Amino acid sequence: MGEVKHLVVAKFKEGVAVEETLQGMAQLVSTMDMVKSFEWGTEMLGEEMLRQGFTHVFIMTFNNGEDLASYLTHPSHTNFIGTFQSALENALVFDFPSVVIKPPA
Amino acid sequence: MGEVKHLVVAKFKEGVAVEETLQGMAQLVSTMDMVKSFEWGTEMLGEEMLRQGFTHVFIMTFNNGEDLASYLTHPSHTNFIGTFQSALENALVFDFPSVVIKPPA
């Protein structure tokens, strides 16, 4: 098994301090060596209808399932999750081994 | 603006030939030079509840918004979309400039 992705698609509640939550997430990841890479996006292009109200995408990459598990169960992560969830109206979470069809050149 | 992601989260209809659809997608991408990378996943780990019925994740990366636009409007893509949509029960689509917090080492 190769890389494993941790994908979160989120809609924040109205009125919450999204920027603070994002900063907290960036800070968390900076201290977690098992997170190989982390990127996110919110400046959405394309059709709003196809997003069904979701506004943010977060993508983390891990070298393997063990690294993902050690992240998900790390006290700093489980502690952050409480703050994160309280800011969310809805979220989808996907953890999956990545099947690479076309690798970056 | 740096890389742009095209993310699709999908739930296929029961009884459709998912494997054929995936092969069609891989074939499409192989002919599209403007697609920088393409990966997907379906062997989901973690909590089913958090996936709300969605079963597949597709992630494409482009060097910029122009490459994404040229892919989305390419006749081969618009032709494929018809087949793809008819196989889907539900889907979310996100196109966004990627904000890289932690680049791959």
Side-chain angles (χ1 to χ4, degrees):
Chain A
M1 187 187 293
E3 287 184 353
V4 173
K5 298 277 183 191
H6 176 60
L7 169 70
V8 178
V9 176
K11 179 184 185 177
F12 286 92
K13 287 176 186 161
E14 278 189 45
V16 302
V18 173
E19 199 55 45
E20 278 179 30
T21 308
L22 299 178
Q23 283 172 10
M25 196 182 300
Q27 194 171 359
L28 168 68
V29 168
S30 73
T31 66
M32 299 276 125
D33 287 345
M34 74 291 262
V35 179
K36 185 177 183 181
S37 68
F38 173 45
E39 56 193 315
W40 66 280
T42 187
E43 299 290 332
M44 297 298 178
L45 318 164
E47 295 183 55
E48 192 170 359
M49 190 188 67
L50 295 173
R51 302 196 286 273
Q52 298 180 25
F54 291 101
T55 56
H56 289 70
V57 173
F58 304 95
I59 305 173
M60 288 184 195
T61 304
F62 299 84
N63 279 325
N64 52 57
E66 290 70 32
D67 282 2
L68 170 63
S70 76
Y71 171 72
L72 293 178
T73 58
H74 193 285
S76 297
H77 176 259
T78 53
N79 185 50
F80 175 77
I81 280 294
T83 309
F84 188 54
Q85 284 180 335
S86 68
L88 294 178
E89 184 174 317
N90 195 9
L92 298 168
V93 181
F94 302 92
D95 295 301
F96 56 92
S98 173
V99 181
V100 178
I101 300 294
K102 191 172 193 174
Chain B
M1 189 188 291
E3 288 185 351
V4 173
K5 299 277 183 192
H6 176 61
L7 168 71
V8 178
V9 176
K11 179 185 185 178
F12 285 92
K13 288 176 186 162
E14 277 189 46
V16 301
V18 173
E19 200 56 45
E20 279 180 31
T21 308
L22 298 178
Q23 283 171 12
M25 197 182 300
Q27 195 170 358
L28 169 68
V29 168
S30 72
T31 66
M32 299 277 122
D33 287 346
M34 75 290 265
V35 179
K36 184 177 183 181
S37 68
F38 173 46
E39 56 192 314
W40 65 280
T42 186
E43 299 289 333
M44 296 297 177
L45 318 163
E47 295 181 56
E48 193 170 358
M49 190 188 66
L50 296 173
R51 302 196 286 272
Q52 299 180 25
F54 291 100
T55 56
H56 289 69
V57 173
F58 304 95
I59 305 174
M60 289 185 195
T61 304
F62 299 83
N63 278 325
N64 51 57
E66 289 70 32
D67 282 2
L68 169 64
S70 76
Y71 170 73
L72 293 178
T73 58
H74 192 285
S76 298
H77 176 260
T78 53
N79 186 50
F80 175 77
I81 280 295
T83 309
F84 188 55
Q85 283 180 335
S86 68
L88 295 178
E89 185 174 317
N90 195 9
L92 298 168
V93 182
F94 302 92
D95 295 300
F96 57 91
S98 171
V99 181
V100 178
I101 300 294
K102 191 172 192 175

